[in-house]
Amino acid sequence: AVLFAPLVSCIFISALYPTAHGQSVAGTFLNWYLADALGIATATPVVMAAYSGSMLKAWNPARAMESAGLLILLILGGSLALFQRDMAILGILFPLIIVTVVRVGWTTGALGVFVLSIITSGFTAFGHGPFAALHHLSNGERIVEMQLFLMALTFSAAIVASVHEERRRILELTREKERSIRIITESSPDIMLVNDLSGHILYTTRAVKRMLGYQPVELYRRSFQGEILHPDEIPAYLDALDAVRNSDET
């Protein structure tokens, strides 16, 4: 949406605006396209978060202090970086926005990007900051440089948020599967256990108490073949362990 939605309006503007104002089609297209794309990339996530209610969830009492602290840090860091004229100092905004996204989520991160866009535009419009110091460029070119920087900041935050959210989702699915498996095993009337390739017990179900008289914790790291198995069953058990050790899935 960020890349292709602005194309529709920019095609019409590029065809009509230069004719009326004497500008080149390419220059008009670039200026309008970057402005529209930047507006969609920064404002839309904030509006959608507010409309869907995720903004309120992100600022719940448990996380409000951390979210507010990181947002204030972003504002202060952005203001200090834009108060001076060294372009390299702007790089500090990337780790700040990434930390915000990782710690409190994309919703607060999107709000931070939106606020930074306003601050950057304000400083540049009033002739302050690194972009205003690019005297070898025209005013339009300085604005394009600013827009490209803000788009890079936005996409960096979005990519990190996407990867972090996918990781969080996978971890949650893993925990849910572990909970489901634990419910099944703990409710089973039969003994179920997990042991390592040396035969030491790592986990047993509670049925071991009823059937063998052991508490599960008592069997942790004890030898399954040496203390639990009947001597007649040990050869078959050791053969099974050897088969697992030699398999490609080990």
Side-chain angles (χ1 to χ4, degrees):
V2 172
L3 297 175
F4 295 106
L7 285 175
V8 178
S9 61
C10 287
I11 289 173
F12 288 102
I13 291 297
S14 299
L16 300 176
Y17 191 85
T19 303
H21 295 80
Q23 295 185 3
S24 67
V25 173
T28 302
F29 179 85
L30 182 62
N31 288 333
W32 279 83
Y33 180 80
L34 289 176
D36 286 357
L38 181 61
I40 293 173
T42 56
T44 303
V46 177
V47 174
M48 291 181 64
Y51 181 77
S52 65
S54 58
M55 186 70 74
L56 293 177
K57 294 179 182 178
W59 286 75
N60 62 69
R63 306 180 70 180
M65 289 295 294
E66 185 176 14
S67 297
L70 287 170
L71 191 59
I72 291 172
L73 184 62
L74 270 176
I75 294 172
L76 292 177
S79 299
L80 290 174
L82 289 160
F83 191 75
Q84 52 82 51
R85 293 185 170 239
D86 187 354
M87 189 70 72
I89 302 298
L90 287 176
I92 196 175
L93 297 182
F94 286 90
L96 285 178
I97 196 66
I98 288 172
V99 169
T100 301
V101 169
V102 171
R103 290 294 305 169
V104 294
W106 168 240
T107 299
T108 303
L111 181 60
V113 170
F114 181 70
V115 173
L116 286 176
S117 298
I118 295 175
I119 294 173
T120 305
S121 300
F123 269 88
T124 304
F126 285 97
H128 301 290
F131 296 106
L134 300 174
H135 300 298
H136 61 286
L137 300 179
S138 66
N139 185 54
E141 290 172 332
R142 288 196 290 268
I143 292 175
V144 169
E145 291 286 332
M146 179 197 71
Q147 291 171 333
L148 290 173
F149 168 77
L150 290 174
M151 290 189 73
L153 188 67
T154 301
F155 283 120
S156 298
I159 291 171
V160 171
S162 178
V163 172
H164 185 67
E165 178 60 24
E166 181 64 16
R167 178 178 178 273
R168 186 201 63 78
R169 188 185 66 83
I170 292 173
L171 287 175
E172 184 59 33
L173 287 175
T174 302
R175 294 190 190 101
E176 185 61 34
K177 289 181 179 179
E178 289 177 351
R179 285 192 291 266
S180 300
I181 293 173
R182 186 173 292 273
I183 290 172
I184 293 172
T185 56
E186 293 298 335
S187 61
S188 172
D190 299 320
I191 296 176
M192 297 184 186
L193 60 85
V194 177
N195 59 263
D196 60 21
L197 294 179
S198 299
H200 294 100
I201 298 171
L202 303 178
Y203 168 77
T204 57
T205 58
R206 287 181 290 186
V208 73
K209 170 65 175 175
R210 178 177 55 82
M211 300 182 70
L212 299 179
Y214 292 101
Q215 292 289 350
V217 68
E218 295 180 79
L219 296 178
Y220 180 69
R221 300 299 302 174
R222 293 175 67 173
S223 173
F224 182 65
Q225 64 268 32
E227 303 185 47
I228 305 299
L229 275 181
H230 189 279
D232 294 342
E233 298 175 335
I234 291 178
Y237 173 74
L238 294 178
D239 289 341
L241 278 182
D242 288 336
V244 172
R245 292 190 192 101
N246 298 327
S247 69
D248 295 335
E249 297 180 0
T250 304

